[in-house]
Amino acid sequence: MRPVTAALWVAAMLVGLQQSALSINIITDRSSKNLSSVPRDLPETVQSVDLSCNHIQQLKRSDFDNTPLLTFLNISWNILEEINPEIFLNTPHLQELDLSHNRLKSLSSQLYLLHTENLRVLNLNHNKFLTMTLGSEFSSLIKLERLALGAKNISIGDLKHIANVKLHTLSLFLEDELVYEGGSLIDGHAQRLQIAFTNSTQIANCNLITDALSQFDEVELMNLTGGYYEFGEQLRQRKEIHSSIIYLTGIHITWKNLTEFVNVALGTTISHLNASDVTLREMPQSDTDVAKMSKMKSFTVRRVEVKEFIFSQEAVYNFFINMPIESLAIMETPIIHMTCPESQSPIHKLDFSNCALSDSIFSSAEPDSRILECKHLGNLRKLILVGNNLKSLQLLSKRVQFMRSLQQLDLSLNSLVYDGLTKCEWPLNITKMILSSNSLTDTVFNCLPTGTETLDLQNNQISVVPSIIFKLDKLLSLNLNANRMRDLPVCNGFPILSELLLKSNSLHAPTISKLESCPKLKVLDVSLNPFTCICAIRPFRSLGIISEKETSHTGVDLLNWPHDYYCSYPDAVRDSTLKDFSISEVNCNVGLLAAVILCPAVIVIIGVMTLCHHLDVLWYMRMIWQWTRAKHRARRRHVRPEDLVGVEFHAFVSYSQQDADWVHNSLLPNLQGPAGGLRICHHEKHFVPGKTIIENIISCVEKCRRSVFVLSAHFVKSEWCHYELYFASHQRLSQGSDNIVLVLLEPLPQYFIPSKYYQLKSMMKRHTYLEWPQDRAKHRLFWANLRAALQADLPNAPAEELEE
């Protein structure tokens, strides 16, 4: 058994075991359990029961009364001698029954078959039947498709009770010393007759072969080890052979017998010759002649085992490749090369699946190291090289370049690569390319026949279809399943593509706009991809929903929608179908999202600004901020006692005489006395008579911790106010303290201030000043800010000040 076949068999068994574990009430396997009777605990829902390889001698009436759903029953390899006629009375669904390799004695008394009208497969070979005389109960098996029998004697009329049963396969397992009466198979109507030999010499003079070739469309001879010459002579002597297909299964044969038999068959009316599980001996050392003419259409051989190591492989290859037939298949056989026909071959189809062929196939090396390509397969239309050791796609193109009629090429399950450096040389008529399960990458699109209509590239390593490729103007179907594609391809190189398959790739959010380059696309499969269910997936989801609802013949049909389209990210929607996933337009449309957020925000802002303007909130906030800063500075500033030596007042107020009313009526009452608690110095009260004005200004500024300037249009016109501002700013610079407070009694534009007041302009730009509000409701906050700016712990006031 080949490794691939073994692996598939093991996988199938594992799957079968898993299914059995999941559905134990449907399938019951009690084989090889040393049972002497049918178990009484069979589940009522069981459909398949295997009781083979036990010691059951008798089937009783009630053995299967509790299994009404039974469809398959295997009791082979037991010691059965007796079966109750009513045992299957309660199993109306029974379809397959295997009673082979037991001790049943008469084919004419199998009365239990009267209750198996739905039976399709019945196996009774290798029992103790002396004759093959079938009882009348066999006539009730009108649905029977496969019947296997065996007996020592076969006579005319033995099969008359199945004359009206149209079988697919009739199997005869011949016993030793078989006695066969010619014409005994005339009542057996089947498409295929299988004859399993135990003694191959029987074929020499057995009329059974003659009847088989005269009556059945297909004849299969199994387990032959000899008699090939006699069989060949029977074929040679017959002018007409009814059978069109001959199968040779499980045979042992020499190379000479095989080639002679094949040459005989080539001269008969047999259309197809098939051999499988062949063991070859006595292999050739030189070429063997093959018939030049033939009516045969195909020759197929599977699983050939050669028992010798030293022989001419080229002689073997030459015999097969030069056969005058339309179809040649050598499969699951470890051939490493195939030669080129000696002359132009009539072969239309070659199938070398699961062999061991290399890139040198069909070529030959000359003594001067030149490689000769095959030019004698000009009639070949279909070439199948599945599962070999092919590695270079470019070399394969050279091997088939002269096959002018080649239309279909299957190179799947190889190790093909293409480096993109050397030009490929395909014949022009290839329309179908199968390159699945190789190691091809994006470069493969530059090594394809330009006339390709169907391209299968599934299970490769393709991540993107290059934008610059050879244009495939005739490509209709592109299969990229199980690759590494990250997005939909652009169809610039495939203008009439109608089918695109991208199942099981790495597509997260397919770009639907790329389909605009595929105007002829009708079928699209993007199932089983790791879709990311975010905003980018919405256009593709819409395509699926439209495809599901589409009733016209236009648009794209999204295969397997919606069941095989799942979200893989984010985790919150993992395993949800794309159809069930939804996300609002607001979350995905940036403009709409901005409008939804900004419009209410703008409305709120405008409303707040309007309200603030109406309530003068900004002014209150500015006043509170100034008051807070004043308090904060007062807490942070650490005034040393020596800094307050000679300081008698909290502030010196400088103002224009035209603003005296406001100072006396508003400013002083809110800063001095019980209301303010501050000591204020101003010229009307504290200038000393006899001193010059300049001396008084300097004296007052030095005795005050801060200087308050009441700014107005009158202030900037006063020369004395200018002197007071000058001396106060000079003190600020000399002491390094911020001792000036500006009170803006009325709006004072910069252009209204004379240029000589450059210090005032600079202060108003750098310092925050207090504005006198016209609204009486704001006065309390104004006075609180001003008092906070002037507040300080001063030494005791002079006596005269206290007396006042």
Side-chain angles (χ1 to χ4, degrees), residues 434-479:
I434 302 177
L435 297 169
S436 59
S437 300
N438 281 282
S439 301
L440 297 168
T441 61
D442 311 343
T443 58
V444 69
F445 289 97
N446 290 317
C447 182
L448 295 172
T450 56
T452 304
E453 296 178 3
T454 301
L455 179 58
D456 187 347
L457 286 167
Q458 65 176 316
N459 194 25
N460 278 280
Q461 300 176 20
I462 300 170
S463 58
V464 65
V465 177
S467 56
I468 302 177
I469 61 174
F470 290 136
K471 199 166 187 179
L472 303 176
D473 292 326
K474 299 181 180 179
L475 189 64
L476 297 173
S477 175
L478 176 57
N479 188 343

Side-chain angles (χ1 to χ4, degrees), residues 405-577:
S405 302
L406 188 61
Q407 298 176 358
Q408 299 183 34
L409 179 58
D410 190 346
L411 301 174
S412 56
L413 288 170
N414 281 281
S415 303
L416 290 172
V417 297
Y418 175 61
D419 56 14
L421 301 177
T422 311
K423 182 180 179 182
C424 296
E425 305 177 32
W426 300 106
L428 299 177
N429 292 323
I430 295 180
T431 58
K432 184 175 182 179
M433 283 282 289
I434 302 177
L435 297 169
S436 59
S437 300
N438 281 282
S439 301
L440 297 168
T441 61
D442 311 343
T443 58
V444 69
F445 289 97
N446 290 317
C447 182
L448 295 172
T450 56
T452 304
E453 296 178 3
T454 301
L455 179 58
D456 187 347
L457 286 167
Q458 65 176 316
N459 194 25
N460 278 280
Q461 300 176 20
I462 300 170
S463 58
V464 65
V465 177
S467 56
I468 302 177
I469 61 174
F470 290 136
K471 199 166 187 179
L472 303 176
D473 292 326
K474 299 181 180 179
L475 189 64
L476 297 173
S477 175
L478 176 57
N479 188 343
L480 290 171
N481 290 340
N483 275 275
R484 303 176 181 179
M485 296 290 293
R486 297 185 292 271
D487 203 351
L488 297 176
V490 177
C491 298
N492 293 339
F494 328 119
I496 62 171
L497 187 69
S498 62
E499 181 182 61
L500 178 59
L501 307 180
L502 292 164
K503 184 177 182 179
S504 300
N505 274 270
S506 301
L507 281 77
H508 297 287
T511 306
I512 299 302
S513 60
K514 292 187 177 182
L515 296 181
E516 296 175 0
S517 64
C518 311
K520 303 293 183 180
L521 191 64
K522 298 297 181 183
V523 177
L524 177 64
D525 187 357
V526 200
S527 58
L528 300 181
N529 274 277
F531 296 108
T532 302
C533 291
I534 56 178
C535 292
I537 200 69
R538 293 178 71 249
F540 178 75
R541 176 179 177 273
S542 300
L543 176 67
I545 295 175
I546 293 173
S547 172
E548 185 180 24
K549 297 179 180 179
E550 188 64 53
T551 57
S552 66
H553 296 291
T554 59
V556 177
D557 180 17
L558 197 60
L559 297 183
N560 303 314
W561 176 271
H563 305 293
D564 291 338
Y565 293 78
Y566 293 94
C567 298
S568 61
Y569 180 84
D571 292 337
V573 294
R574 182 185 294 273
D575 296 331
S576 300
T577 63

Side-chain angles (χ1 to χ4, degrees), residues 255-256 259 263 281-290 308 310-320 322 339 342:
W255 175 256
K256 180 180 179 181
T259 55
N263 278 325
R281 308 187 311 276
E282 301 178 19
M283 300 303 291
Q285 300 298 328
S286 59
D287 285 349
T288 305
D289 292 336
V290 62
E308 299 174 8
I310 302 176
F311 64 95
S312 173
Q313 295 188 35
E314 187 173 346
V316 175
Y317 305 147
N318 285 339
F319 178 84
F320 291 120
N322 286 292
T339 56
E342 297 174 353

Side-chain angles (χ1 to χ4, degrees), residues 130-132 151-156 158 174-182 184 202 206-208:
L130 294 177
T131 65
M132 201 172 286
K152 292 182 178 294
N153 296 275
I154 304 177
S155 304
I156 296 177
D158 282 352
L174 304 185
E175 304 288 344
D176 293 334
E177 301 178 359
L178 171 71
V179 177
Y180 178 81
E181 182 180 1
S184 298
Q202 296 173 6
C206 185
N207 293 326
L208 177 61

Side-chain angles (χ1 to χ4, degrees), residues 69-88:
L69 302 178
L70 187 65
T71 59
F72 173 87
L73 177 61
N74 182 3
I75 317 183
S76 62
W77 295 96
N78 278 270
I79 54 174
L80 271 178
E81 296 181 356
E82 182 180 352
I83 301 177
N84 188 284
E86 297 183 348
I87 186 171
F88 299 123

Side-chain angles (χ1 to χ4, degrees), residues 39 107 144 157 160 180 190 197 201 225 311 331 374 383 484 502-503 556-557 568 582-583 628 663 749 796:
L107 278 170
L144 195 64
K160 64 181 180 180
Y180 178 81
F197 291 92
T201 58
T225 59
F311 64 95
M331 297 176 287
C374 184
L383 177 59
R484 303 176 181 179
L502 292 164
K503 184 177 182 179
V556 177
D557 180 17
S568 61
S582 63
I583 187 169
T628 303
V663 172
N796 293 332

